[in-house]
Amino acid sequence: MFEAIDIIKKLFAASLAGRDVKHSGTFYKLESTRLWTMPEVAPEILVATAGPVTAKRAGKTVDGLITVGAPLEKIEGLFAKFEEGAREVGKDPSTMPRVLQLHLSWAPTYDEALRNALVEWPNGGMKFPKGDIRSPFELEQMAKMVRAEDFEGRMIIDADPEVHREYIQKFVDLGFDRIYLHNVGRNQREWIDVFSEHVLPKLKR
Protein backbone atom coordinates (compact mmCIF):
# COMPACT_ATOMS: atom_id res chain seq x y z
CA MET A 1 0.00 0.00 0.00
CA PHE A 2 2.69 2.48 0.91
CA GLU A 3 4.58 1.85 -2.31
CA ALA A 4 1.35 2.55 -4.19
CA ILE A 5 1.01 5.78 -2.22
CA ASP A 6 4.56 6.69 -3.20
CA ILE A 7 3.62 6.26 -6.87
CA ILE A 8 0.51 8.41 -6.44
CA LYS A 9 2.56 11.17 -4.77
CA LYS A 10 5.15 11.03 -7.56
CA LEU A 11 2.39 11.24 -10.16
CA PHE A 12 0.79 14.21 -8.44
CA ALA A 13 4.05 16.14 -8.08
CA ALA A 14 5.40 15.41 -11.57
CA SER A 15 2.07 15.97 -13.30
CA LEU A 16 1.63 19.36 -11.62
CA ALA A 17 5.11 20.25 -12.94
CA GLY A 18 4.24 18.99 -16.43
CA ARG A 19 6.65 16.06 -16.32
CA ASP A 20 6.43 12.31 -16.79
CA VAL A 21 7.35 9.99 -13.95
CA LYS A 22 8.85 6.50 -13.72
CA HIS A 23 8.88 4.03 -10.85
CA SER A 24 10.52 0.69 -10.28
CA GLY A 25 9.94 -0.85 -6.87
CA THR A 26 9.32 -4.05 -4.98
CA PHE A 27 5.70 -4.42 -6.02
CA TYR A 28 5.15 -2.02 -8.90
CA LYS A 29 6.85 -0.90 -12.07
CA LEU A 30 5.58 2.22 -13.78
CA GLU A 31 6.69 3.24 -17.25
CA SER A 32 6.97 6.87 -18.21
CA THR A 33 3.57 8.49 -17.68
CA ARG A 34 1.72 11.40 -16.10
CA LEU A 35 -1.77 12.51 -15.12
CA TRP A 36 -3.01 14.84 -17.85
CA THR A 37 -5.86 16.49 -15.96
CA MET A 38 -4.61 17.66 -12.56
CA PRO A 39 -6.26 20.23 -10.26
CA GLU A 40 -4.17 23.22 -9.24
CA VAL A 41 -3.52 21.58 -5.86
CA ALA A 42 -2.98 17.83 -5.51
CA PRO A 43 -5.75 15.98 -3.62
CA GLU A 44 -5.11 14.92 -0.05
CA ILE A 45 -4.04 11.33 0.51
CA LEU A 46 -5.55 9.73 3.60
CA VAL A 47 -4.90 6.18 4.84
CA ALA A 48 -7.53 4.03 6.52
CA THR A 49 -6.24 1.96 9.43
CA ALA A 50 -7.26 0.43 12.73
CA GLY A 51 -3.73 -0.59 13.77
CA PRO A 52 -0.92 1.36 15.46
CA VAL A 53 1.90 0.35 13.08
CA THR A 54 0.08 1.59 9.99
CA ALA A 55 -1.11 4.69 11.88
CA LYS A 56 2.49 5.69 12.65
CA ARG A 57 3.60 5.11 9.08
CA ALA A 58 0.60 7.06 7.82
CA GLY A 59 1.65 9.99 9.98
CA LYS A 60 5.04 9.95 8.29
CA THR A 61 3.80 9.40 4.77
CA VAL A 62 0.38 10.85 3.99
CA ASP A 63 -1.83 13.82 4.75
CA GLY A 64 -4.34 12.32 7.16
CA LEU A 65 -5.95 9.34 8.86
CA ILE A 66 -9.23 7.47 8.41
CA THR A 67 -10.54 4.95 10.92
CA VAL A 68 -13.78 3.33 12.06
CA GLY A 69 -15.71 3.44 15.30
CA ALA A 70 -13.92 1.65 18.14
CA PRO A 71 -13.42 2.05 21.90
CA LEU A 72 -12.13 5.55 22.62
CA GLU A 73 -8.92 4.31 24.24
CA LYS A 74 -8.05 2.37 21.07
CA ILE A 75 -8.56 5.44 18.91
CA GLU A 76 -6.51 7.56 21.31
CA GLY A 77 -3.70 5.03 20.82
CA LEU A 78 -4.03 5.33 17.04
CA PHE A 79 -3.88 9.11 17.29
CA ALA A 80 -0.75 8.92 19.45
CA LYS A 81 1.05 6.72 16.90
CA PHE A 82 -0.16 8.88 14.00
CA GLU A 83 1.12 12.02 15.72
CA GLU A 84 4.41 10.32 16.59
CA GLY A 85 5.02 9.43 12.96
CA ALA A 86 4.13 12.91 11.76
CA ARG A 87 6.48 14.62 14.23
CA GLU A 88 9.36 12.30 13.27
CA VAL A 89 9.35 13.82 9.77
CA GLY A 90 8.74 17.40 10.89
CA LYS A 91 4.99 17.61 10.25
CA ASP A 92 2.46 19.27 12.54
CA PRO A 93 -0.17 16.59 13.32
CA SER A 94 -2.68 19.20 14.49
CA THR A 95 -3.05 20.34 10.86
CA MET A 96 -3.63 16.84 9.48
CA PRO A 97 -7.23 15.64 8.94
CA ARG A 98 -8.69 12.80 10.99
CA VAL A 99 -11.74 11.14 9.49
CA LEU A 100 -14.11 8.65 11.12
CA GLN A 101 -16.72 6.27 9.76
CA LEU A 102 -19.45 5.30 12.22
CA HIS A 103 -21.95 2.51 11.58
CA LEU A 104 -25.26 2.85 13.41
CA SER A 105 -28.81 1.61 13.25
CA TRP A 106 -31.66 4.03 13.91
CA ALA A 107 -35.37 3.42 13.35
CA PRO A 108 -38.57 4.64 15.04
CA THR A 109 -38.56 1.56 17.30
CA TYR A 110 -35.74 -0.47 18.82
CA ASP A 111 -37.10 -3.69 17.33
CA GLU A 112 -37.00 -2.20 13.84
CA ALA A 113 -33.49 -0.81 14.38
CA LEU A 114 -32.31 -4.22 15.58
CA ARG A 115 -33.97 -5.98 12.66
CA ASN A 116 -32.23 -3.59 10.24
CA ALA A 117 -28.87 -4.40 11.81
CA LEU A 118 -29.42 -8.15 11.73
CA VAL A 119 -30.73 -8.20 8.15
CA GLU A 120 -28.76 -5.44 6.44
CA TRP A 121 -25.49 -5.31 8.42
CA PRO A 122 -24.88 -8.61 10.25
CA ASN A 123 -21.16 -8.35 9.50
CA GLY A 124 -21.11 -5.54 12.08
CA GLY A 125 -21.72 -8.20 14.73
CA MET A 126 -19.07 -10.63 13.48
CA LYS A 127 -16.18 -10.41 15.93
CA PHE A 128 -13.56 -12.01 13.73
CA PRO A 129 -11.51 -11.12 10.62
CA LYS A 130 -13.48 -11.57 7.41
CA GLY A 131 -10.65 -11.54 4.88
CA ASP A 132 -10.60 -15.32 4.54
CA ILE A 133 -14.31 -15.74 3.84
CA ARG A 134 -14.36 -17.33 0.38
CA SER A 135 -17.89 -16.82 -0.88
CA PRO A 136 -21.16 -14.94 -0.34
CA PHE A 137 -22.71 -18.28 0.65
CA GLU A 138 -20.28 -18.69 3.56
CA LEU A 139 -20.95 -15.11 4.69
CA GLU A 140 -24.69 -15.75 4.51
CA GLN A 141 -24.39 -18.81 6.75
CA MET A 142 -22.28 -16.90 9.30
CA ALA A 143 -24.76 -14.01 9.25
CA LYS A 144 -27.51 -16.34 10.45
CA MET A 145 -25.61 -16.87 13.71
CA VAL A 146 -25.34 -13.15 14.60
CA ARG A 147 -27.41 -12.11 17.64
CA ALA A 148 -28.31 -8.74 19.16
CA GLU A 149 -25.63 -9.01 21.86
CA ASP A 150 -22.92 -9.40 19.20
CA PHE A 151 -23.30 -5.72 18.29
CA GLU A 152 -22.55 -4.48 21.82
CA GLY A 153 -19.55 -2.16 21.84
CA ARG A 154 -19.41 -2.25 18.05
CA MET A 155 -22.44 -0.29 16.87
CA ILE A 156 -25.23 1.79 18.41
CA ILE A 157 -28.69 0.34 17.81
CA ASP A 158 -31.39 2.58 19.23
CA ALA A 159 -34.60 4.46 18.45
CA ASP A 160 -33.66 7.47 20.58
CA PRO A 161 -31.82 10.16 18.56
CA GLU A 162 -30.27 11.46 21.78
CA VAL A 163 -28.49 8.15 22.37
CA HIS A 164 -26.92 8.47 18.93
CA ARG A 165 -26.03 12.12 19.52
CA GLU A 166 -24.22 11.30 22.78
CA TYR A 167 -22.26 8.54 21.06
CA ILE A 168 -21.23 10.72 18.10
CA GLN A 169 -20.31 13.60 20.44
CA LYS A 170 -17.66 11.43 22.11
CA PHE A 171 -15.82 11.14 18.80
CA VAL A 172 -16.21 14.85 18.06
CA ASP A 173 -14.64 15.54 21.47
CA LEU A 174 -11.80 13.18 20.61
CA GLY A 175 -10.75 15.47 17.76
CA PHE A 176 -12.11 14.07 14.51
CA ASP A 177 -12.42 16.65 11.74
CA ARG A 178 -14.98 14.75 9.68
CA ILE A 179 -17.38 11.99 10.74
CA TYR A 180 -19.26 9.97 8.15
CA LEU A 181 -22.40 8.29 9.44
CA HIS A 182 -23.71 5.05 7.96
CA ASN A 183 -27.23 4.08 8.96
CA VAL A 184 -27.35 0.39 8.10
CA GLY A 185 -31.10 0.20 7.41
CA ARG A 186 -32.91 1.09 4.21
CA ASN A 187 -34.90 3.81 5.97
CA GLN A 188 -32.49 6.44 4.66
CA ARG A 189 -34.86 9.37 4.02
CA GLU A 190 -36.50 8.98 7.43
CA TRP A 191 -33.08 8.72 9.11
CA ILE A 192 -31.73 11.81 7.33
CA ASP A 193 -34.80 13.83 8.35
CA VAL A 194 -34.58 12.79 12.02
CA PHE A 195 -30.81 13.25 12.34
CA SER A 196 -30.80 16.59 10.52
CA GLU A 197 -33.35 17.91 13.02
CA HIS A 198 -32.52 16.17 16.30
CA VAL A 199 -28.87 15.04 16.16
CA LEU A 200 -26.52 17.06 13.95
CA PRO A 201 -27.59 20.57 15.16
CA LYS A 202 -26.92 19.52 18.78
CA LEU A 203 -23.34 18.35 18.24
CA LYS A 204 -20.74 20.72 19.72
CA ARG A 205 -17.14 21.09 18.63
Side-chain angles (χ1 to χ4, degrees):
M1 179 180 69
F2 283 99
E3 185 178 333
I5 289 168
D6 185 40
I7 293 172
I8 294 168
K9 291 169 73 174
K10 287 179 179 179
L11 278 168
F12 284 169
S15 300
L16 281 170
R19 300 191 311 268
D20 288 353
V21 65
K22 295 182 179 181
H23 177 88
S24 181
T26 304
F27 302 102
Y28 302 102
K29 184 174 183 181
L30 183 70
E31 297 296 341
S32 183
T33 191
R34 76 175 76 173
L35 301 173
W36 291 97
T37 52
M38 278 291 295
E40 293 182 5
V41 178
E44 292 178 333
I45 300 175
L46 281 65
V47 160
T49 181
V53 174
T54 304
K56 182 176 179 179
R57 194 164 178 188
K60 291 181 177 181
T61 310
V62 299
D63 302 306
L65 183 73
I66 304 171
T67 194
V68 294
L72 299 185
E73 58 272 15
K74 180 178 180 180
I75 292 179
E76 288 172 344
L78 282 182
F79 278 3
K81 287 296 184 181
F82 177 70
E83 293 169 3
E84 182 182 335
R87 291 192 185 97
E88 283 183 8
V89 295
K91 294 193 284 188
D92 179 0
S94 68
T95 65
M96 302 169 73
R98 300 160 200 230
V99 178
L100 177 70
Q101 180 191 43
L102 278 183
H103 303 296
L104 59 93
S105 187
W106 175 87
T109 68
Y110 172 78
D111 288 345
E112 185 179 348
L114 176 59
R115 184 169 63 251
N116 287 345
L118 290 168
V119 172
E120 305 292 347
W121 201 252
N123 52 305
M126 297 179 187
K127 303 176 182 180
F128 50 83
K130 304 170 191 70
D132 292 330
I133 298 176
R134 295 179 178 270
S135 76
F137 174 77
E138 290 181 6
L139 185 64
E140 182 183 27
Q141 300 311 304
M142 294 174 184
K144 292 176 181 177
M145 297 185 289
V146 174
R147 298 293 179 261
E149 56 269 23
D150 296 325
F151 292 101
E152 290 179 11
R154 301 172 64 84
M155 190 169 82
I156 293 295
I157 300 173
D158 209 286
D160 186 351
E162 180 61 17
V163 171
H164 290 276
R165 186 206 64 78
E166 290 177 355
Y167 183 65
I168 297 166
Q169 184 65 56
K170 293 177 182 178
F171 294 98
V172 174
D173 294 342
L174 206 57
F176 281 100
D177 302 289
R178 300 195 294 270
I179 299 177
Y180 294 96
L181 303 177
H182 170 217
N183 182 47
V184 301
R186 299 193 182 202
N187 55 331
Q188 297 299 310
R189 171 51 59 190
E190 188 179 30
W191 168 66
I192 289 171
D193 289 344
V194 168
F195 272 53
S196 64
E197 182 176 354
H198 300 290
V199 176
L200 301 184
K202 296 179 181 179
L203 295 172
K204 296 181 175 61
R205 183 168 291 280

